[in-house]
Amino acid sequence: MTARGQQTTARLIGATRQVIREAGYTHDTTRRIADAAGVTEGTIYRHFPSKRALLLAAVMHDNPDVVAEMSTLPDRAGQATPAENLTWALQRLASMREDILPLELALLTEPELAEEQQPPTSDTATPEAGGADGPPDALTEYLAAEQTLGRIRPDIDPAQASYLLLVLLFGLTAAPQARHHPGATAGIDVAVTLVIDGLASPTSAQNT
């Protein structure tokens, strides 16, 4: 990307953050964001594949420490256990709760965003097509690396598994106990264990 392109991207992210602060996610239209950035509405889609991607980029921009930490996740492949690494990653992402939950609510309730909210696959989860660098991509890359090492099943799509783990995290952070204790991460380790081990007992698995 050219220096001018980087400047435009940064201006769009800044305008998005401004509009969200002023109007919230329910009134953050791309026209309003474009006006705040001083560009045409079409410019947004030359820098981001979707409105959802732009909103995610704005959230990531407000949490640089978490994004930096998550960028190290793929390097953890082969170290500790997948369960330990995933628990660490989801606990770090849980610290973004105050920014992520309003966005997730918008993704579920705003028709335009709901249409864009499709589970990715490894074929579509690229920065250009997937719409967001940062934690989602790092989680997918980590799972793919563990798959190469033979530490997770070879028939699992890393991008879809990453998506499902994030959905699980958002559900946990929206639970009543999390609202009363925003810093709490109780339940993440249990959820990761369920994902890693499954729900079926060894006996029932043998009988299928």
Side-chain angles (χ1 to χ4, degrees), residues 179-201:
R179 290 198 296 269
H180 293 301
H181 305 283
T185 54
I188 288 179
D189 55 343
V190 175
V192 169
T193 298
L194 288 176
V195 170
I196 295 291
D197 295 341
L199 291 173
S201 68

Side-chain angles (χ1 to χ4, degrees), residues 50-98:
S50 65
K51 180 182 176 182
R52 173 180 177 270
L54 175 58
L55 297 181
L56 284 170
V59 169
M60 296 303 111
H61 187 278
D62 283 341
N63 295 271
D65 293 342
V66 176
V67 173
E69 286 183 316
M70 285 296 296
S71 69
T72 69
L73 179 60
D75 295 332
R76 292 172 176 252
Q79 304 175 28
T81 67
E84 290 170 336
N85 291 330
L86 290 173
T87 297
W88 172 84
L90 295 189
Q91 286 175 338
R92 294 305 301 127
L93 291 175
S95 67
M96 296 167 55
R97 176 180 180 275
E98 297 303 319

Side-chain angles (χ1 to χ4, degrees), residues 112-173:
E112 178 186 356
L113 293 174
E115 290 177 2
E116 295 176 351
Q117 181 77 343
Q118 299 295 330
T121 66
S122 289
D123 292 333
T124 61
T126 63
E128 294 79 13
D133 294 324
D137 288 340
L139 189 53
T140 297
E141 187 179 341
Y142 165 75
L143 292 172
E146 291 286 27
Q147 196 174 53
T148 299
L149 295 173
R151 301 216 304 169
I152 65 172
R153 285 169 42 185
D155 59 328
I156 291 176
D157 185 293
Q160 290 187 328
S162 173
Y163 174 87
L164 292 174
L165 283 167
L166 292 175
V167 169
L168 179 62
L169 172 64
F170 298 139
L172 287 171
T173 55

